[in-house]
Amino acid sequence: MLNKTYCSAVYGIEACTITVEVVVSTGLHYYIVGLPDNAVKESLRRIESAITSCQLHMPRQKIVVNLAPADIRKEGSSYDLSIAIGILASSGQLTNELLEQYLILGELSLDGSIKPIRGVLPIALQALNDGFKGIILPQQNAQEAAIVAGIDVIAVENLTEVVQFLNNSKNILPTKVDIQSLFHTETNKYDVDFADVRGQENIKRALEIAAAGGHNVILIGPPGAGKTMLAKRLPTVLPPLNMIESLETTKIHSVSGNLKAKDALLTIRPFRAPHHTISDVAMVGGGSNPQPGEISLSHHGVLFLDELPEFKRSVLEVMRQPLESRSITISRAKLTIDYPASFMLIAAMNPCPCGYFNHPEKECICGSNTVQRYLSKISGPLLDRIDLHVEVTPVLFDELSAAGSSENSLTVRNRVIQTRLIQKQRFESIPDVHCNAHMSTKLTRDICQIGEPQKKLLKTAIDRLNLSARAYDRILKVARTIADMENSSTIENHHLAEAIQYRNLDRETWGGKF
């Protein structure tokens, strides 16, 4: 007897509905077809033990399982529950009236309990698009799936509950989530604040500009100057995630397995800080079973690279294209996957191996060639893609011990939100552009028009610093953000001058162009 159940496979951050066809007939063997990987092929042993543990009967006949469409590779253990239900239905142990109305997913343990799976949010979205009434899945994944309105989420803990529900002998109420409350819970509060940082007002100003326009930043200065401390507080001044951004971010973390059971939806911007020993694949994503990398896990958030010159040159160079396109394409012989990668890059580095080159008090012990060789680990094309180059100097004792408190993150964040609203109105009719940093070259020339006095100032800076065409655009974008912060419709001389001063690594002080 043929029975069909339905589950889903995740490719990239999108899901595809899989039809599980099961036939139980005369014979003794078990066959599974439809490009299954080893985890799927091994499912029979888990299914057999789970069915037996739940006091159900495992047919001692020929069982043929087909996973359609057959030309798409099936990976992972999320097919266990759907296959088990198909076997039970084909052997007459449950009715098949509800099978076509639900997606059924979950990994079976030997005792019949159901373990959580990855990628539930994109699966639930696809189930809604495909017209399913609901989705049956592990208890731990229920909160995440319930984010999708218009579909019943049936949370189960073991195989017995699934059978009872499908036989209409047990009523399981759909899981519900109050989405609005998720954006106003304690998870929105950070453990760090700009008020923790003493002094460094010019660096805070630079980071506020970066947050207001979505610009990339590199901080260069001696050890202990506060680079890491400042970088970790950048997310606290970024605008809150909206619903669309939150869903996109949650989907990526869901398919990568980084989403905790209690986190139905990510409501704060991610902050990723990989170690400098990270590999190319771990940074951009990929592998034999492609997974999102750090740049995608930082989507709509911040990617912090501390001790930038210590990263492998190849790791830094593979980021050049995603920094421009805000996405990454992973290509394999039989598969091409696109992952979003719209992140803010904030990097930190010492000016030399000993860390004290150009220090106002301590003497550098590195030779000029050593300094140049150290700085040259960061390529010119990569630096051109970083909008603000900021020198961080040590904080004086008087500033550290001064009474009173600094401006807190909430105050700065409110200003950033107001600036972003100006940009939102400006780019309302332009797709995929949400802040000044996202402007294309053509759009930059249209939006960031300047007068003759500003052109002369910019020409002088370009001639002295030998800036590239990309750096020219970056200066205009930063100047536009500074003007937006002052609610100015035009870019004035002081806006442009401040933007130019944030090209520290282009100056002769740091060895000129890399």
Side-chain angles (χ1 to χ4, degrees):
M1 179 179 178
L2 172 65
N3 273 280
K4 294 181 181 180
T5 59
Y6 300 92
C7 58
S8 192
V10 177
Y11 300 97
I13 60 170
E14 303 299 331
C16 172
T17 298
I18 302 296
T19 303
V20 180
E21 301 174 332
V22 181
V23 173
V24 177
S25 59
T26 305
L28 293 175
H29 295 289
Y30 175 85
Y31 302 96
I32 183 164
V33 296
L35 284 182
D37 72 348
N38 287 335
V40 182
K41 291 177 182 178
E42 294 169 352
S43 63
L44 175 61
R45 303 305 175 195
R46 294 191 296 271
I47 292 169
E48 181 179 14
S49 178
I51 289 176
T52 304
S53 297
C54 293
Q55 308 304 314
L56 298 165
H57 172 65
M58 180 68 180
R60 301 303 175 185
Q61 297 171 277
K62 184 172 80 171
I63 301 173
V64 179
V65 179
N66 178 43
L67 305 177
D71 61 339
I72 298 178
R73 186 162 183 80
K74 319 304 186 303
E75 299 174 330
S77 56
S78 62
Y79 304 94
D80 289 5
L81 185 58
S82 192
I83 294 173
I85 294 300
I87 292 174
L88 293 174
S90 295
S91 59
Q93 299 179 68
L94 59 81
T95 61
N96 57 8
E97 296 175 1
L98 299 178
L99 293 184
E100 63 180 15
Q101 300 180 30
Y102 291 90
L103 280 184
I104 304 173
L105 301 110
E107 176 187 337
L108 285 172
S109 293
L110 299 183
D111 62 355
S113 60
I114 303 174
K115 294 183 177 181
I117 60 174
R118 295 182 179 187
V120 166
L121 181 56
I123 288 172
L125 290 168
Q126 187 61 40
L128 179 64
N129 292 336
D130 289 344
F132 286 95
K133 178 184 177 180
I135 177 172
I136 300 173
L137 78 176
Q139 180 77 46
Q140 295 94 322
N141 296 126
Q143 295 289 319
E144 179 186 345
I147 292 298
V148 181
I151 190 168
D152 292 343
V153 176
I154 307 301
V156 291
E157 295 184 353
N158 53 61
L159 181 59
T160 302
E161 285 189 356
V162 182
V163 173
Q164 291 174 344
F165 175 78
L166 294 174
N167 279 333
N168 291 313
S169 61
K170 182 176 182 177
N171 183 34
I172 301 177
L173 295 177
T175 301
K176 301 294 183 183
V177 172
D178 185 358
I179 298 177
Q180 294 301 321
S181 66
L182 294 177
F183 286 89
H184 299 89
T185 58
E186 291 296 315
T187 55
N188 275 324
K189 295 185 177 180
Y190 293 89
D191 295 330
V192 295
D193 195 281
F194 258 23
D196 303 333
V197 183
R198 298 284 184 173
Q200 304 292 22
E201 299 305 323
N202 58 325
I203 316 302
K204 293 179 186 177
R205 164 72 176 177
L207 292 181
E208 181 180 346
I209 294 170
H215 303 290
N216 301 321
V217 188
I218 183 169
L219 305 176
I220 180 169
K227 304 185 293 297
T228 302
M229 187 176 187
L230 287 160
K232 288 182 177 180
R233 283 153 180 76
L234 179 60
T236 67
V237 300
L238 290 173
L241 287 170
N242 59 40
M243 189 60 188
I244 295 176
E245 291 175 335
S246 184
L247 283 173
E248 289 179 354
T249 307
T250 305
K251 284 168 67 176
I252 297 170
H253 286 256
S254 176
V255 300
S256 66
N258 289 339
L259 196 65
K260 298 178 181 178
K262 64 178 182 179
D263 295 332
L265 193 68
L266 291 181
T267 56
I268 61 174
R269 296 187 181 273
F271 179 84
R272 305 290 296 185
H275 192 260
H276 59 76
T277 56
I278 189 172
S279 67
D280 305 16
V281 172
M283 180 65 81
V284 300
S288 56
N289 178 21
Q291 292 291 313
E294 289 292 337
I295 62 172
S296 295
L297 294 171
S298 305
H299 186 56
H300 292 315
V302 176
L303 176 64
F304 175 47
L305 303 183
D306 201 4
E307 303 298 342
L308 190 65
E310 303 301 329
F311 284 79
K312 290 187 292 186
R313 181 71 174 247
S314 59
V315 172
L316 299 179
E317 296 308 300
V318 294
M319 291 198 306
R320 284 160 53 176
Q321 181 265 333
L323 282 170
E324 289 289 322
S325 64
R326 293 183 285 122
S327 65
I328 182 71
T329 300
I330 308 297
S331 297
R332 296 295 180 264
K334 296 182 179 180
L335 185 67
T336 299
I337 295 175
D338 292 320
Y339 288 117
S342 180
F343 61 93
M344 278 183 63
L345 172 65
I346 179 166
M349 61 179 287
N350 294 327
C352 66
C354 78
Y356 297 109
F357 176 72
N358 208 36
H359 193 281
E361 298 176 358
K362 297 185 179 181
E363 184 177 353
C364 174
I365 61 173
C366 306
S368 58
N369 291 337
T370 304
V371 174
Q372 184 62 36
R373 190 161 52 248
Y374 182 78
L375 295 176
S376 296
K377 292 181 180 181
I378 316 301
S379 69
L382 178 62
L383 277 178
D384 276 349
R385 288 168 169 81
I386 299 177
D387 305 341
L388 289 84
H389 306 166
V390 185
E391 182 180 359
V392 183
T393 55
V395 182
L396 300 176
F397 175 80
D398 292 341
E399 293 177 313
L400 284 174
S401 59
S405 60
S406 302
E407 195 173 41
N408 62 32
S409 292
L410 182 60
T411 304
V412 179
R413 189 188 210 190
N414 289 334
R415 292 199 298 265
V416 169
I417 291 173
Q418 292 303 315
T419 306
R420 286 286 185 106
L421 287 175
I422 295 173
Q423 296 168 41
K424 182 180 179 180
Q425 295 173 358
R426 176 184 300 136
F427 304 125
E428 195 169 10
S429 60
I430 304 173
D432 299 325
V433 179
H434 307 290
C435 58
N436 290 336
H438 295 169
M439 289 190 292
S440 64
T441 300
K442 182 179 182 304
L443 191 58
T444 301
R445 303 298 167 88
D446 293 339
I447 299 294
C448 305
Q449 296 185 7
I450 54 179
E452 287 302 320
Q454 290 77 39
K455 288 181 180 178
K456 290 180 181 178
L457 175 61
L458 192 53
K459 182 180 184 303
T460 301
I462 288 174
D463 290 343
R464 287 185 179 180
L465 300 177
N466 192 25
L467 299 176
S468 66
R470 184 178 283 110
Y472 171 83
D473 287 341
R474 301 281 173 179
I475 290 174
L476 287 178
K477 291 177 184 179
V478 173
R480 181 63 266 171
T481 298
I482 297 171
D484 289 340
M485 293 171 69
E486 297 181 4
N487 201 17
S488 172
S489 59
T490 59
I491 298 176
E492 304 296 339
N493 269 9
H494 66 282
H495 302 145
L496 203 58
E498 185 174 2
I500 292 170
Q501 78 165 353
Y502 294 126
R503 302 300 300 184
N504 277 350
L505 293 180
D506 295 327
R507 298 177 181 174
E508 292 184 1
T509 308
W510 300 106
K513 286 296 291 176
F514 286 38

